[in-house]
Amino acid sequence: MAEELPISEFDYELPPELIAQEPCSEREAARLLVVERATGSLSHHQVRDLPELLQPQDLLIFNNTRVIPARIYGQRAKTGGQWEGLFLERHPNGAWELLGQTRGYLQEGEWLNLLDRQEQPSPYRLQVLGRTVDRHLLVRPEPEMEPVELLEAIGHVPLPPYIRRGVENESDRHRYQTVYAQTPGSIAAPTAGLHFTPALLQRLRENQVEQAFVTLHVGIGTFAPVQVSNLHEHTMHQEWCQLPPETAEALNNCKNRRIAVGTTTVRTLESAPWLDGRIQPWTGHTSLFIKPGHAFRAMDGLLTNFHLPKSTLLVLISALAGRDLIREAYSVAVKERYRFFSYGDAMLIL
């Protein structure tokens, strides 16, 4: 049996004022803490320095998922009570799965009248079908339509609760999205990618830093709090991801370092199958929980934001760089007043 891995070892003190409430005025102006695993050295830069920090023939791998406006508001048809929901996924039978909040208990068959982005009545409504084993709502929309169509019409940006208590402003629809977002499906942004601009991507290409893409649709499981004291007992939720053939080819042919942009990219890469020493294209769901002891095969470095205390994402980067080095890096980041979490600064682990 594996030795106990206490979640308490992945905790740190964070002054609340260091939790970024707004993005940096310019994406690539965010600060960048560079962590060298071989020497344990730490150095301070900006994201715009990446073309000089990386080497020719390094390969950056990005997650091109697109955040959908998954938060919706409405009223219970029979009581007028306020209701708030977060779209999670569409089931093969057509039912939609949501997290929902309202006073009282929603009954099967009950209708929810949805509001538009100006909090006015919309032409859309949802009927409650039942609940999942996790007590999430199952609903069907009226009129029948694809989730993205309805959410783009009336949905709100699903900001995490530590940013303005989840209340969006108009700029979030642009800034809580990577500039290369392509495939709709996430309910949270792959935040390490928020720092890139078209100009920065072009400068990287000019410096012969190669680029490739995977897709992982970020789900609620990424942010689910760890409820156990021993991490070996924690179960990760599944998330859909894809590693296309052209990205597998780029990884296999990479002549230098393979650097993942974001922990979601890491999970996609490390979940992929291998055959005869070569990573294979794949599509499927991953429930991989990367923790200390994991043998990384598909990547050599990571660009990532600063993560919540006692989170599975902090555990992941500790598995890559070592608990002691990450503990030191976070201590320095707090002392130097780096900005934390989704709209915060970044760290490059090499």
Side-chain angles (χ1 to χ4, degrees):
M1 185 175 178
E3 184 180 344
E4 186 166 323
L5 186 60
I7 185 62
S8 57
E9 291 191 14
F10 303 89
D11 197 8
Y12 65 94
E13 293 293 327
L14 179 67
E17 67 271 17
L18 296 187
I19 301 174
Q21 298 300 298
E22 302 292 340
C24 199
S25 58
E26 300 174 49
R27 289 179 186 257
E28 58 186 75
R31 297 170 73 189
L32 180 66
L33 179 63
V34 177
V35 179
E36 296 278 357
R37 287 186 291 166
T39 62
S41 68
L42 307 174
S43 56
H44 304 283
H45 305 268
Q46 287 181 295
V47 172
R48 60 165 52 106
D49 300 329
L50 277 173
E52 291 69 51
L53 292 168
L54 300 179
Q55 301 168 0
Q57 298 185 317
D58 279 346
L59 173 65
L60 285 173
I61 311 101
F62 302 89
N63 179 8
N64 66 5
T65 187
R66 186 171 189 83
V67 180
I68 55 177
R71 182 166 283 125
I72 48 179
Y73 297 92
Q75 297 172 326
R76 298 176 68 175
K78 69 178 184 180
T79 67
Q82 300 298 307
W83 175 83
E84 175 183 338
L86 181 70
F87 174 82
L88 299 179
E89 64 176 315
R90 182 184 186 274
H91 288 209
N93 65 2
W96 296 10
E97 182 176 340
L98 298 91
L99 288 176
Q101 270 182 240
T102 190
R103 293 186 66 180
Y105 188 83
L106 292 173
Q107 303 294 324
E108 190 172 326
E110 189 173 339
W111 287 94
L112 299 164
N113 296 325
L114 300 181
L115 303 175
D116 64 20
R117 283 205 287 272
Q118 286 70 48
E119 299 184 11
Q120 300 299 313
S122 81
Y124 311 109
R125 61 179 187 161
L126 304 174
Q127 186 177 36
V128 178
L129 302 178
R131 293 183 181 268
T132 69
V133 292
D134 296 322
R135 309 304 297 160
H136 298 164
L137 279 179
L138 290 172
V139 302
R140 71 169 183 88
E142 189 179 89
E144 292 281 345
M145 60 199 311
E146 289 299 313
V148 170
E149 185 182 354
L150 183 146
L151 296 171
E152 289 291 351
I154 66 169
H156 298 254
V157 177
L159 291 176
Y162 50 73
I163 297 178
R164 294 179 244 117
R165 298 185 179 179
V167 178
E168 69 169 337
N169 60 38
E170 194 56 38
S171 68
D172 294 317
R173 299 186 78 81
H174 167 63
R175 290 305 303 271
Y176 195 65
Q177 193 82 268
T178 64
V179 298
Y180 48 79
Q182 185 173 341
T183 309
S186 280
I187 62 170
T191 55
L194 297 179
H195 304 294
F196 289 84
T197 64
L200 178 57
L201 293 169
Q202 179 60 31
R203 286 177 53 218
L204 286 161
R205 282 191 289 268
E206 290 169 356
N207 282 25
Q208 297 181 286
V209 175
E210 299 170 5
Q211 299 166 26
F213 296 90
V214 298
T215 305
L216 181 142
H217 292 325
V218 187
I220 199 70
T222 293
F223 304 99
V226 176
Q227 306 280 12
V228 295
S229 58
N230 179 8
L231 281 167
H232 293 309
E233 298 172 359
H234 177 71
T235 301
M236 291 286 284
H237 286 70
Q238 288 193 342
E239 292 173 312
W240 183 92
C241 53
Q242 182 174 68
L243 194 159
E246 60 270 22
T247 298
E249 184 176 359
L251 287 160
N252 290 321
N253 294 336
C254 179
K255 295 181 174 60
N256 208 357
R257 299 172 299 184
R258 300 158 299 175
I259 299 168
V261 177
T263 55
T264 58
T265 298
V266 175
R267 289 189 75 218
T268 306
L269 296 177
E270 293 297 315
S271 299
W274 288 69
L275 181 65
D276 298 329
R278 294 175 65 84
I279 196 167
Q280 301 298 302
W282 82 293
T283 299
H285 287 83
T286 180
S287 56
L288 178 64
F289 180 18
I290 297 175
K291 49 188 185 286
H294 177 83
F296 290 88
R297 299 186 68 186
M299 33 81 67
D300 308 296
L302 170 64
L303 179 76
T304 184
N305 279 20
F306 292 93
H307 303 293
L308 276 71
K310 295 185 176 181
S311 65
T312 59
L313 304 181
L314 185 57
V315 173
L316 183 154
I317 65 167
S318 299
L320 178 65
R323 277 175 275 184
D324 292 341
L325 183 54
I326 290 300
R327 196 175 290 120
E328 180 188 357
Y330 270 58
S331 176
V332 167
V334 170
K335 181 181 177 183
E336 296 294 328
R337 312 293 289 177
Y338 275 68
R339 300 164 71 248
F340 278 65
F341 305 163
S342 298
Y343 272 157
D345 296 316
M347 172 189 288
L348 177 62
I349 303 171
L350 293 173

